[in-house]
């Protein structure tokens, strides 16, 4: 098993099952992730996925460097395509992804966290993109997603120095939005997931599309995109349910229709 998948109705927890290799990314792990992403898309009850790593040492230590040593240049190319597919799959999924960064998130590990919608970090964890110290550059979207997440100046400060940041600096940089003591990390991530999952599924999907799709568009085009995403919510049963629940002074029960 490459992943441990805990199904908890609207929220699932996906744990990279590779503690001995510090949850580093293997070809098998990537292909299982792509399969889970396809399953998630078809799973109606599911609204939010918490993504984490086994143990306390690492969220994900990047590419599996031992497997990499046995790979041809062609294999590395295929690996990068699969990684790109998986990270775009997370980003464009109708489900919301919460990274629970339980330990080191380095290289591809940070890139995996960056593809998620929310990031919650253990106070004992660290994050970084060490690639320029290894004779390469971040190749899993790190140079692009990090700059989009925290700005060009801060991204350069991290990428060009290859340094690691702790939870205090990650919070100050906006690289994560929540931190928790290691023993409370899972609970904090599940709390965040529950806050997401109580909302209307179509709204979650449309809001994610509006934010991600509009970020780099000129404002008028971005507002048009937001408007299209908004219009798609108007005919839904969940919107009617929310209005009824408001009138009846109760919590709405959303079905994703
Ligand atoms: N690929 C394959 N194996 C890895 C790995 C990786 N990226 N990172 C760690 N491991 C393996 C180690 O080789 C070691 O295996 P061994 O027991 O067979 O010797 C095992 O995981 C434990 O590693 P260790 O460094 O002792 O664990 P730690 O808990 O002290 O530190 C890290 C954890 C993640 C901070 C540290 O392992 C690390 O810095 N790894 C490299 C990260 C990196 O540079 N990734 C590549 C980015 S491009």
């Amino acid at each position: 098993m490459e992943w441990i998948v805990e199904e908890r109705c609207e929220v699932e927890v996906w744990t990279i099952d590779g503690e001995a290799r510090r949850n580093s990314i293997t070809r098998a792990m990537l292909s299982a992730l792509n399969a889970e992403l396809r399953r998630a898309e078809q799973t109606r009850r599911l609204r939010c996925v918490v993504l984490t790593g086994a143990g306390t040492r690492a969220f994900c230590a990047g590419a599996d460097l031992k497997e990499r040593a046995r790979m041809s240049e062609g294999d590395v190319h295929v690996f990068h395509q699969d990684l790109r597919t998986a990270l775009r799959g997370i980003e464009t999924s109708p489900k919301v992804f919460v990274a629970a960064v339980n330990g080191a998130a380095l290289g591809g590990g940070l890139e995996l966290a960056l593809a998620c919608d929310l990031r919650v970090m253990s106070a004992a964890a660290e994050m970084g993109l060490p690639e320029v110290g290894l004779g390469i550059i971040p190749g899993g979207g790190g140079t692009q997603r990090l700059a989009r997440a925290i700005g060009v100046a801060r991204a350069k400060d991290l990428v060009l120095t290859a340094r690691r940041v702790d939870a205090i600096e990650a919070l100050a940089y906006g690289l994560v939005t929540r931190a928790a003591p290691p023993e409370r990390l899972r609970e904090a991530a599940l709390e965040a997931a529950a806050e997401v999952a109580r909302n209307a599924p179509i709204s979650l999907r449309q809001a994610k599309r509006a934010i991600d799709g509009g970020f780099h568009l000129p404002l008028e085009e971005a507002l048009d995109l937001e408007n299209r995403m908004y219009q798609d919510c108007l005919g839904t049963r969940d919107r009617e349910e929310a209005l009824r629940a408001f009138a009846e002074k109760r919590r709405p029960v959303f079905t994703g229709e």
Side-chain angles (χ1 to χ4, degrees):
M1 276 294 286
E2 300 296 328
W3 291 84
I4 300 164
V5 173
E6 296 166 69
E7 299 185 10
R8 308 158 62 100
C9 206
E10 291 131 345
V11 174
E12 292 187 0
V13 181
W14 297 1
T15 304
I16 307 170
D17 189 16
E19 189 175 355
R21 60 169 203 275
R22 297 302 184 258
N23 304 316
S24 54
I25 306 171
T26 59
R27 286 188 279 188
M29 177 272 212
L30 263 189
S31 103
L33 174 57
N34 279 319
E36 284 304 327
L37 285 165
R38 288 191 294 274
R39 180 189 60 82
E41 189 149 350
Q42 305 305 321
T43 307
R44 264 190 82 149
R45 60 162 172 79
L46 178 63
R47 298 183 190 174
C48 188
V49 175
V50 173
L51 215 147
T52 193
T56 55
R57 304 291 297 179
F59 168 73
C60 170
D64 185 319
L65 298 175
K66 290 174 188 161
E67 185 181 65
R68 178 63 59 92
R70 301 189 301 269
M71 281 160 65
S72 68
E73 222 171 279
D75 292 340
V76 175
H77 181 70
V78 172
F79 178 92
H80 272 272
Q81 287 301 322
D82 289 348
L83 179 61
R84 181 168 169 167
T85 302
L87 300 190
R88 279 302 282 158
I90 291 171
E91 222 160 32
T92 59
S93 171
K95 316 299 178 184
V96 174
F97 281 77
V98 177
V101 181
N102 54 302
L106 299 171
L110 175 51
E111 292 174 321
L112 177 62
L114 281 168
C116 294
D117 302 294
L118 274 71
R119 283 170 287 284
V120 186
M121 183 173 180
S122 156
E126 54 181 14
M127 289 177 153
L129 291 174
E131 284 88 344
V132 299
L134 298 168
I136 50 176
I137 69 165
T143 58
Q144 304 310 306
R145 290 196 181 92
L146 188 64
R148 280 166 168 75
I150 64 173
V152 168
R154 287 171 165 180
K156 283 185 176 171
D157 190 322
L158 294 190
V159 172
L160 301 180
T161 62
R163 71 190 176 88
R164 299 175 181 190
V165 291
D166 62 14
I168 292 173
E169 200 174 359
L171 268 176
Y173 266 26
L175 186 49
V176 301
T177 52
R178 304 177 191 211
E183 65 282 4
R184 273 216 67 243
L185 193 257
R186 182 182 162 94
E187 203 182 327
L190 285 172
E191 268 167 28
E195 286 171 32
V196 168
R198 65 174 172 238
N199 298 304
I202 295 171
S203 303
L204 291 174
R205 182 191 72 197
Q206 297 301 93
K208 183 169 161 172
R209 284 184 182 162
I211 294 170
D212 289 338
F215 192 66
H216 275 273
L217 290 178
L219 186 60
E220 284 297 337
E221 284 173 44
L223 292 174
D224 287 343
L225 173 71
E226 183 190 71
N227 191 251
R228 285 198 301 279
M229 299 298 112
Y230 177 82
Q231 297 290 335
D232 287 346
C233 299
L234 289 183
T236 63
R237 291 207 182 143
D238 281 346
R239 176 169 173 269
E240 287 167 18
E241 161 63 6
L243 292 173
R244 248 190 331 267
F246 178 76
E248 293 167 9
K249 298 190 188 303
R250 61 171 174 82
R251 285 188 78 96
V253 180
F254 293 125
T255 59
E257 291 166 291

